[in-house]
Amino acid sequence: MEIFIQQIVSGIATGAIYACMALAIVMIYQAIHNLNFAQGEMAMFSTFIAWQLIAWGTPYWIAFALTLAISFIGGVVIERLVFKPIENAPILSYVVVFIALFAIFNSLAGFIWNFEIKPFPTPFGSGALFGGLMSPHQAGMIVVTVVVLALLYFFFRFTRIGLAMRAAAVNPESARLVGIRVSWMTALGWGMASAIGAVAGMMIAPVVFLEPNMMVSILLYGFAGAVLGGLTSPVGAVVGGLAVGVIENLAGTYIPVVGPELKLPIALLVIVAVLVVRPSGLMGRKIVQRV
Amino acid sequence: MKPLLSVRGLEASYGDLKVLRGLDFSIAEGSVTALLGANGAGKTTTLRALCGMIARSGEIEFDGRSIGRARTEDIVRLGIAHVPEGRGTFFNLTVEENLELGAMSRPAGRELTTDIQRIYGYFPRLEERRRQQAGTLSGGEQQMLAIGRALMLKPRLMLLDEPSFGLAPLIVEEVFRILAHVRETMKVSMLLVEQNANFALALADHAYLLETGEIAIAGPAEEIRNNESIRNAYLGY
Amino acid sequence: MDARDENPAISEPPADRAGIRFGALGWTGLAVVVVLAALPLFLANFTIFQLTMMLIYAIAILGLNLLTGINGQFSLGHGAFYAIGAYTAAILMENFGLAYGWTLPAAGLICFVSGFLFGLPALRLEGIYLALATFGLAVAMPQFLKLSVLEPWTGGVQGIVITKPDAPFGLPLSQDQWLYYFTLVVALLLYWFAANLVASRSGRALMAIRDNPLAARAMGVNNALYKSLAFGISAAFTGIAGALGAIVVQFVAPDSFTFALSVALFVGLVVGGVGWLPGALVGGAFIVFIPNVAELFNKALAGAVYGVILILLIYLMPTGAGGLVRKVADFVGRRMKPRPDR
């Protein structure tokens, strides 16, 4: 029983990583109804920017804030520069452009900062919490995720621009008819997703070390978490991300064939199974509609 | 007096298919104008063209300003509210959020609450359901919500696309009663597209009859209503 | 304003235009085949190897196109079927001593069954969810191949080395040339099969499901069966490509079949044109040659250059080479043939 609880707690700790990433994924899904396969690489790139700022002697939290700002602007610029011109292209072409962005960021990061792994600082200090089950960084990461979630909730629920973004996502044509600049809302969504991805990257980097390929599998877990929670719900994304961490850990411990090698496939398998049973995810919004 | 909206040579097409073939019409400030015609005559397309929702050519002048090339968002900001075909409900937002969105292009302020209260005055049923997801409303309620949302803009001109569509006769009556009341109290001009000519002509001051993308007949609503041959030929009642 | 504009209701009879296009396309196709057949006579062995790989990827993309282009189902995981085909060939040749030619139908059959079985649960998934599920399959495949339980057959992380076949009947061809021609013949046969499938009753059913699943069901099409079949057939094509790939490369190992392969096939599909079968060849060429081109620009930044090329291609032809060809054909068709008056 004790092992079981330990596994759950450490599953939640890893799950926090996925939850962070899942949140960024849901954010962009709201804006463009698509999974951004380059999201992980964008987050990785943002983290390298933070690393560079810190290496130049910038204090951690200032570097953190600067990175958020740069990532936000970067996200908006990518939307305007790369996606605006092809807004009418079929969805499959979109996915190809995500793949292209993936290649570009991965290659650029390796070119600028090389492929050696780099340690990334944590602002939460070292030590052990809960009898060694969780590091302060993991606890801090969970807190940060919850704070981001709360901020998002506040933003979408209580600000006009948040309302406008939701409206643009639900019914773009009608949104234009009330004067909302839908295409800018999309750009804003990109910016926000990119900034949230940066938060995720900076939280994840101290755990997995910084290098250009650090986000590849994390992105997949993030997808899994987002889909598990239902792609339309930020709360669902966080819960889904945590759940994926726990599932992965338990499967690794209790299913004999599943060594560390097979953790990822098993997690994905579970997710596919969940989807087959419940396609809208655990907390996905079912649209009630009467005509 | 100079008309609020004047349109000259308005054309629009879907692909190779020309749907509007040079419309000329105008709407006087404070008046209700009905745009009638059969299915496929180009009524909805006219409204969409006015709002810049489809490519169009020709001159459109609103309140002395040319809007023939303006984008939808900017046209709305000038005070033209469009109640679209299909009602344009934001399904999974609440009724109140739907109304708030109507005022999105005006600066927010304390008056927002009073404006929403006024809309609830027109449509008490919406107030009962203010926290409900708009998608759960009945067709008639969604129509009222769409009109309410348009009014939140404090528009000078309202474009209404078949407000009677798919509604039970009693509800249609209610909707038109409210439109008449709105007209009295808010002094808003309206361009009303309708298949239900009877109701439309009762509300309108002026009417245009559209036939395959061209204006076939124009005149005071009263006259058209009383002209039996037009009624027989075009309006089918 | 010409007559067409005044009579929007009268459109040109479709058979007419199809006639011109078919003729032109037929000749173009023949020319392509002739060029493909002549190429190895003038090229170095390594280039011939690359061209063989291009044909192999084209077969895999052809299979993917049947699924995505014709039936409207997403897959970001066809690399997994490619891997299954490759391993089938390798195991049959090295452990059971089967001649390489016979491994192709075997790989096709095994992949058809795997694809069909995978297609059954996938029936409940659509769009993004299906993309994610198939992507999961692609990610899982290398891990699965590394499983220690399977090691006696798969050779674990080491993989399996295959002997390269010689040209039969004492033909005066190098091994690479022979494998090229062998692949070309297989590719042509499979293309012929795919084209016939699309033109058949079943093909129409597949397309009806893509365009309007509800209406297709109302017309009596068994959606579940056809969608699973599409998955099976598509996987079989890709599996045969995998088997060919194993024979040509002479080696299979788990890490040759990562999700990057699936992504490459997907990119090849879109660049070639979704729903346009000949586009597979364009896609295959893209997969083999563009990364090399990107390296020519700058070795360290090859990935970035590749990405930029890809984005530019999507700008220039958002619907792939197929869309471009269609546009050109329409344009030429209009110029060449005066429209019939009413």
Side-chain angles (χ1 to χ4, degrees):
Chain A
M1 192 59 203
E2 202 174 314
I3 295 179
F4 182 72
I5 291 174
Q6 274 180 12
Q7 289 299 329
I8 290 198
V9 174
S10 76
I12 289 178
T14 353
I17 299 179
Y18 310 150
C20 252
M21 202 62 224
L23 210 49
I25 290 163
V26 163
M27 194 59 231
I28 198 72
Y29 184 79
Q30 294 282 38
I32 59 173
H33 296 279
N34 219 327
L35 295 178
N36 177 3
F37 287 87
Q39 189 105 56
E41 301 311 283
M42 288 166 61
M44 174 273 296
F45 204 83
S46 298
T47 314
F48 264 111
I49 292 174
W51 179 86
Q52 188 65 70
L53 289 171
I54 292 170
W56 283 339
T58 320
Y60 183 90
W61 289 110
I62 294 179
F64 186 92
L66 274 177
T67 304
L68 288 197
I70 294 171
S71 304
F72 179 86
I73 294 168
V76 172
V77 168
I78 287 177
E79 198 280 337
R80 290 284 101 175
L81 216 65
V82 181
F83 288 95
K84 183 84 199 337
I86 56 161
E87 55 189 350
N88 296 322
I91 184 162
L92 295 175
S93 304
Y94 249 79
V95 177
V96 165
V97 175
F98 291 141
I99 293 168
L101 283 179
F102 182 106
I104 290 173
F105 279 114
N106 190 289
S107 161
L108 267 186
F111 181 75
I112 302 175
W113 292 289
N114 75 46
F115 285 87
E116 271 166 40
I117 60 166
K118 297 174 175 56
F120 192 86
T122 168
F124 304 113
S126 56
L129 294 177
F130 309 112
L133 285 180
M134 207 180 258
S135 69
H137 179 75
Q138 284 169 322
M141 189 157 65
I142 295 176
V143 172
V144 167
T145 308
V146 171
V147 168
V148 171
L149 189 63
L151 286 176
L152 277 182
Y153 177 80
F154 179 84
F155 174 78
F156 281 117
R157 192 72 183 67
F158 297 111
T159 68
R160 281 189 112 198
I161 190 121
L163 179 61
M165 281 178 76
R166 275 156 69 206
V170 177
N171 193 337
E173 178 157 277
S174 203
R176 294 181 67 206
L177 284 180
V178 294
I180 295 171
R181 299 187 192 282
V182 172
S183 125
W184 274 103
M185 294 300 124
T186 310
L188 204 55
W190 270 89
M192 287 174 66
S194 168
I196 295 169
V199 173
M202 286 185 279
M203 289 296 112
I204 293 165
V207 185
V208 300
F209 293 107
L210 182 60
E211 52 108 7
N213 295 316
M214 72 179 217
M215 294 302 271
V216 175
S217 61
I218 290 173
L219 177 70
L220 260 183
Y221 283 118
F223 278 157
V227 168
L228 191 60
L231 279 168
T232 46
S233 149
V235 179
V238 170
V239 174
L242 295 175
V244 169
V246 171
I247 292 171
E248 175 201 32
N249 243 338
L250 292 182
T253 315
Y254 289 104
I255 306 176
V257 207
V258 183
E261 282 278 270
L262 272 190
K263 270 185 171 181
L264 180 60
I266 290 294
L268 287 169
L269 198 75
V270 171
I271 286 123
V272 171
V274 170
L275 283 182
V276 168
V277 179
R278 199 183 156 86
S280 58
L282 298 177
M283 301 193 163
R285 182 196 306 123
K286 282 178 286 299
I287 298 171
V288 196
Q289 181 173 331
R290 256 165 80 174
V291 189
Chain B
M1 199 176 84
K2 211 169 160 20
L4 181 63
L5 178 85
S6 66
V7 174
R8 265 204 314 272
L10 183 64
E11 293 189 357
S13 10
Y14 291 116
D16 281 349
L17 191 71
K18 191 167 270 185
V19 181
L20 301 182
R21 304 149 175 273
L23 301 189
D24 299 316
F25 64 93
S26 60
I27 294 171
E29 177 105 52
S31 76
V32 173
T33 305
L35 197 57
L36 307 175
N39 261 335
K43 305 187 298 288
T44 294
T45 309
T46 308
L47 295 194
R48 293 174 65 89
L50 287 180
C51 274
M53 292 165 79
I54 51 169
R56 76 280 202 210
S57 63
E59 279 171 50
I60 309 172
E61 203 170 283
F62 177 73
D63 195 23
R65 236 191 276 217
S66 168
I67 57 169
R69 293 178 182 283
R71 286 189 305 183
T72 308
E73 300 92 308
D74 299 317
I75 292 172
V76 172
R77 274 155 212 271
L78 294 176
I80 300 184
H82 188 157
V83 179
E85 189 182 30
R87 301 164 195 139
T89 310
F90 297 98
F91 286 120
N92 41 29
L93 306 190
T94 66
V95 168
E96 192 146 309
E97 284 171 338
N98 265 270
L99 290 176
E100 271 174 51
L101 279 166
M104 196 49 87
S105 57
R106 310 193 269 129
R110 212 168 286 154
E111 53 180 310
L112 201 67
T113 338
T114 39
D115 288 345
I116 290 183
Q117 283 312 320
R118 180 167 49 201
I119 304 297
Y120 288 150
Y122 290 124
F123 305 104
R125 260 205 275 178
L126 294 183
E127 184 165 23
E128 289 165 27
R129 306 190 188 287
R130 56 194 283 195
R131 299 260 164 254
Q132 220 167 301
Q133 265 195 18
T136 61
L137 298 185
S138 73
E141 288 161 348
Q142 283 191 34
Q143 190 60 61
M144 295 173 191
L145 181 60
I147 295 170
R149 199 175 56 229
L151 290 174
M152 284 296 289
L153 179 69
K154 293 198 171 156
R156 302 188 55 193
L157 173 65
M158 230 162 106
L159 311 177
L160 293 139
D161 199 339
E162 301 226 23
S164 77
F165 185 81
L167 303 185
L170 271 178
I171 310 285
V172 176
E173 249 172 64
E174 193 182 339
V175 167
F176 273 88
R177 202 165 50 236
I178 293 167
L179 283 178
H181 182 51
V182 165
R183 177 197 179 169
E184 291 302 309
T185 50
M186 286 185 73
K187 305 283 176 234
V188 50
S189 321
M190 298 182 192
L191 176 59
L192 175 63
V193 153
E194 257 303 337
Q195 291 227 44
N196 195 331
N198 210 353
F199 275 106
L201 289 173
L203 180 67
D205 309 301
H206 206 81
Y208 291 94
L209 235 150
L210 217 54
E211 199 181 26
T212 54
E214 278 165 302
I215 289 175
I217 290 168
E222 183 91 18
E223 234 167 69
I224 291 185
R225 196 149 55 129
N226 296 332
N227 185 325
E228 199 159 333
S229 62
I230 296 178
R231 263 180 19 208
N232 289 339
Y234 293 100
L235 306 175
Y237 72 94
Chain C
M1 197 188 280
D2 66 24
R4 188 165 53 93
D5 287 332
E6 283 168 2
N7 301 294
I10 299 172
S11 70
E12 176 179 23
D16 227 42
R17 202 159 71 183
I20 297 180
R21 288 219 329 237
F22 183 82
L25 269 187
W27 285 110
T28 319
L30 198 64
V32 169
V33 172
V34 168
V35 169
L36 283 176
L39 270 178
L41 304 176
F42 309 103
L43 295 171
N45 275 340
F46 181 70
T47 318
I48 297 175
F49 165 78
Q50 285 184 315
L51 287 177
T52 314
M53 287 313 292
M54 171 185 87
L55 289 177
I56 289 171
Y57 287 133
I59 297 173
I61 293 171
L62 195 59
L64 190 54
N65 210 345
L66 287 177
L67 183 70
T68 307
I70 307 301
N71 194 223
Q73 298 192 78
F74 231 118
S75 171
L76 272 173
H78 258 47
F81 297 116
Y82 188 94
I84 294 176
Y87 265 88
T88 305
I91 292 170
L92 287 178
M93 281 168 74
E94 292 310 306
N95 291 13
F96 298 92
L98 200 69
Y100 64 91
W102 292 106
T103 64
L104 300 191
L109 191 68
I110 287 178
C111 286
F112 175 80
V113 174
S114 333
F116 187 83
L117 293 179
F118 186 84
L120 287 177
L123 283 175
R124 298 213 37 183
L125 304 176
E126 258 169 30
I128 282 167
Y129 295 102
L130 185 56
L132 192 74
T134 48
F135 194 58
L137 182 70
V139 171
M141 191 45 77
Q143 317 278 12
F144 180 72
L145 292 170
K146 282 177 197 163
L147 274 188
S148 48
V149 196
L150 299 174
E151 210 163 308
W153 293 285
T154 57
V157 188
Q158 309 296 321
I160 308 171
V161 177
I162 302 167
T163 5
K164 206 175 203 175
D166 287 317
F169 321 121
L171 288 172
L173 293 170
S174 72
Q175 286 175 320
D176 286 313
Q177 283 174 324
W178 162 244
L179 279 179
Y180 175 86
Y181 283 116
F182 181 68
T183 307
L184 182 60
V185 170
V186 174
L188 288 175
L189 279 175
L190 287 174
Y191 183 84
W192 175 80
F193 177 78
N196 275 307
L197 177 72
V198 171
S200 72
R201 242 179 96 84
S202 308
R204 282 199 298 278
L206 291 174
M207 285 186 269
I209 292 171
R210 171 195 66 191
D211 296 336
N212 192 337
L214 265 181
R217 199 157 67 197
M219 289 188 310
V221 176
N222 184 341
N223 284 18
L225 178 67
Y226 271 97
K227 283 174 88 169
S228 307
L229 275 178
F231 234 108
I233 294 171
S234 160
F237 270 68
T238 308
I240 293 173
L244 281 166
I247 297 165
V248 170
V249 179
Q250 297 166 262
F251 178 59
V252 294
D255 288 329
S256 326
F257 309 112
T258 62
F259 72 90
L261 174 63
S262 298
V263 168
L265 292 178
F266 177 80
V267 168
L269 168 71
V270 175
V271 168
V274 179
W276 188 59
L277 296 186
L281 196 62
V282 180
F286 184 89
I287 294 177
V288 174
F289 295 111
I290 292 301
N292 296 345
V293 172
E295 269 188 21
L296 285 183
F297 277 97
N298 186 327
K299 244 196 162 86
L301 271 175
V305 176
Y306 172 83
V308 170
I309 294 177
L310 204 49
I311 291 179
L312 289 180
L313 272 181
I314 294 294
Y315 278 9
L316 294 177
M317 32 186 221
T319 47
L324 193 67
V325 167
R326 218 163 292 151
K327 255 185 222 155
V328 171
D330 268 1
F331 182 73
V332 173
R334 271 186 203 188
R335 300 293 298 269
M336 275 174 31
K337 182 139 190 182
R339 287 170 179 282
D341 267 330
R342 51 171 127 161

